[in-house]
Amino acid sequence: MERQLPKHIGIIMDGNGRWAKKRGLKRWDGHKEGANVFRKICSYACDIGIKSITFYAFSTENWRRPPEEVAAIMELFREYLGEAEDRENENIRKGMQMHFIGRRDDMPEDIVSLMETAEENSKDASRIKVNIAINYGGRLEIVEAVRKIAQKVKDGEIQPEDITEDDISANLYTAGQDDPDLIIRPSGEYRLSNFLLWQSAYSEFWFSDILWPDFTTDDLDRAIDDYNNRSRRFGGV
Ligand code: IPE
Ligand code: IPE
Ligand code: MG
């Protein structure tokens, strides 16, 4: 039987710090390597025909880290987004449509502006949707959706009893996108850490001890193969 590709994959890119520590390197060396692996996996997902992929890059809780580490991660975003500023960027030519999910208000202005440029430059690309979750928190995303809906109630546009699940979905950062079929978390942690809480209601999970900088295209294939052996019932029989 031919393998079914998940339409949408979510990846929690975790384990950079431990990867660096194991090698006697600084944590940010791990983030740098992690960023390279992100580029590789993103490009491979596009090549094999995945339609949509979401990478968790920085959570709303990650601001708790030492300022030097946060600054180093922001620098890596600048580097990556600088590449995407070029309309002739290889990723855009490959067909990657970029989206950034998360709260932009608390992000450095120059990064927000680079995100907007990357989204604008890649908006006609149609092979794969690439979401990058930066300053993203699933709970905050739901809170922000609820605020928007509450405003509509206040303005008399809708009644509380008319609010549906679709209304919540339509007010999330991922509005209009399919929920993730498969969520991958390497690094030996078995938790979501506030990633796509609403959207993952019926996702399949794939955990592994591999640290993100060691993650390879073979690992992605393995996760997809395992996904193919799952039986998704969505509450039915
Ligand atoms: C993931 O790697 C990257 C971010 C959260 C930004 P970590 O930095 O969390 O790596 P570990 O978990 O400490 O190994
Ligand atoms: C989750 O990793 C966030 C990202 C990968 C961006 P963390 O390292 O922040 O998660 P916890 O703290 O182990 O739950
Ligand atoms: Mg971690």
Side-chain angles (χ1 to χ4, degrees):
M1 206 178 70
E2 208 187 317
R3 76 173 186 170
Q4 294 278 325
L5 287 176
K7 272 212 292 207
H8 183 180
I9 299 179
I11 304 188
I12 301 172
M13 303 188 284
D14 194 21
N16 296 348
R18 280 164 283 173
W19 180 90
K21 193 170 175 208
K22 258 177 46 184
R23 286 166 177 73
L25 301 169
K26 298 278 188 207
R27 290 184 61 84
W28 44 82
D29 294 316
H31 295 312
K32 202 170 165 51
E33 192 53 29
N36 289 333
V37 169
F38 152 75
R39 286 179 178 86
K40 238 177 267 166
I41 296 298
C42 191
S43 162
Y44 183 69
C46 179
D47 292 342
I48 63 175
I50 301 294
K51 289 288 154 222
S52 181
I53 189 158
T54 301
F55 292 93
Y56 200 8
F58 192 83
S59 75
T60 47
E61 289 73 35
N62 287 147
W63 297 106
R64 294 177 190 154
R65 296 182 178 210
E68 314 82 67
E69 180 172 348
V70 171
I73 293 170
M74 294 297 151
E75 246 346 274
L76 288 170
F77 291 149
R78 284 192 183 91
E79 213 173 281
Y80 177 73
L81 291 164
E83 295 163 21
E85 221 183 355
D86 175 7
R87 272 178 197 278
E88 294 303 305
N89 179 272
E90 192 191 320
N91 291 345
I92 298 174
R93 271 191 280 128
K94 271 185 89 142
M96 293 184 194
Q97 190 186 95
M98 312 292 304
H99 292 276
F100 295 90
I101 62 170
R103 185 175 165 83
R104 297 190 186 189
D105 291 9
D106 312 318
M107 289 292 295
E109 268 175 43
D110 66 309
I111 293 186
V112 174
S113 143
L114 285 166
M115 285 175 181
E116 287 166 357
T117 307
E119 286 179 337
E120 177 59 28
N121 286 352
S122 67
K123 68 176 191 307
D124 298 325
S126 58
R127 201 151 149 213
I128 186 172
K129 262 193 187 122
V130 178
N131 294 311
I132 306 180
I134 296 181
N135 193 27
Y136 175 89
R139 286 189 169 182
L140 178 63
E141 180 181 37
I142 294 169
V143 167
E144 292 196 337
V146 168
R147 282 187 191 141
K148 285 189 237 164
I149 296 168
Q151 187 62 49
K152 285 188 193 145
V153 171
K154 193 177 166 203
D155 296 343
E157 285 173 39
I158 48 167
Q159 295 301 313
E161 58 274 21
D162 295 334
I163 298 168
T164 63
E165 291 185 8
D166 286 344
D167 290 322
I168 303 271
S169 297
N171 283 284
L172 299 175
Y173 308 129
T174 50
Q177 300 200 38
D178 290 320
D179 288 339
D181 301 294
L182 170 66
I183 292 184
I184 296 174
R185 178 158 197 167
S187 92
E189 309 296 354
Y190 300 86
R191 53 178 174 259
L192 271 178
S193 301
N194 210 5
F195 185 53
L196 301 180
L197 295 184
W198 175 274
Q199 299 87 335
S200 62
Y202 271 102
S203 301
E204 296 295 328
F205 290 90
W206 193 84
F207 296 103
S208 138
D209 288 342
I210 305 156
L211 301 172
W212 176 249
D214 288 327
F215 197 90
T216 64
T217 54
D218 284 348
D219 295 316
L220 183 65
D221 277 325
R222 217 163 287 137
I224 294 171
D225 289 343
D226 287 349
Y227 168 83
N228 270 261
N229 294 322
R230 306 280 178 90
S231 162
R232 303 184 77 191
R233 289 184 290 278
F234 299 100
V237 288

